[in-house]
Amino acid sequence: MRDAATMSFHLLRPLWLLALIPLAVVFAVLLRRQDVRAQWGGVIAPHLLTHLIVRPEQGRYVNPVYLVAAGMMLGIIGLSGPTWRRELPPFVEDKAPLMIALAVGSSMNETDVAPSRLERAKQKIRDLLAARAGARTGLVAFAGTAHLVMPPTDDRSVIEPFLAALGPG
């Protein structure tokens, strides 16, 4: 069973890990090209080849191919974006200020939309305010001329009494 630490670990861009496949292929080809047995295997008999190969002292130097491969592997893993917690992009939530314009003319008393056009518009504004909780929202009413009912505020409870009081009169 996975513990909480490994469950929260994830990659932001996991497709970058596919770049490890060509890296492994190139690394394998380079190691094969450095192998003396592979170079001379087709030319010298195998029982003689083991005695003719001069082996330098092992462990005296670091092969640059290993360093380059390790650096590229760490770079690819870094590009895949490992992280312990996921943060939403800044454009996911709409927190931009919004001004709502509401018509309050005599035509808004028509009952083609139940209970009336004005009451239905007020319900939609309340739903919008609930969906944008914490975002700055203002209200403008117009009936021939526009009037500022409420400047942009992030407290929707302040807008509610002004919204309820709006009418064609």
Side-chain angles (χ1 to χ4, degrees), residues 36-49 52:
V36 178
R37 291 185 192 277
Q39 291 175 358
W40 292 99
V43 180
I44 301 174
H47 67 281
L48 295 175
L49 184 61
L52 293 175

Side-chain angles (χ1 to χ4, degrees), residues 23-78:
L23 176 67
V25 170
V26 169
F27 181 67
V29 168
L30 287 176
L31 285 182
R32 176 135 174 90
R33 288 183 66 197
Q34 286 184 348
D35 186 22
V36 178
R37 291 185 192 277
Q39 291 175 358
W40 292 99
V43 180
I44 301 174
H47 67 281
L48 295 175
L49 184 61
T50 57
H51 300 289
L52 293 175
I53 294 176
V54 176
R55 293 189 183 112
E57 295 181 23
Q58 297 293 330
R60 294 285 181 172
Y61 67 96
V62 177
N63 193 341
V65 174
Y66 292 122
L67 291 177
V68 170
M72 291 181 74
M73 184 180 70
L74 288 175
I76 290 170
I77 291 172

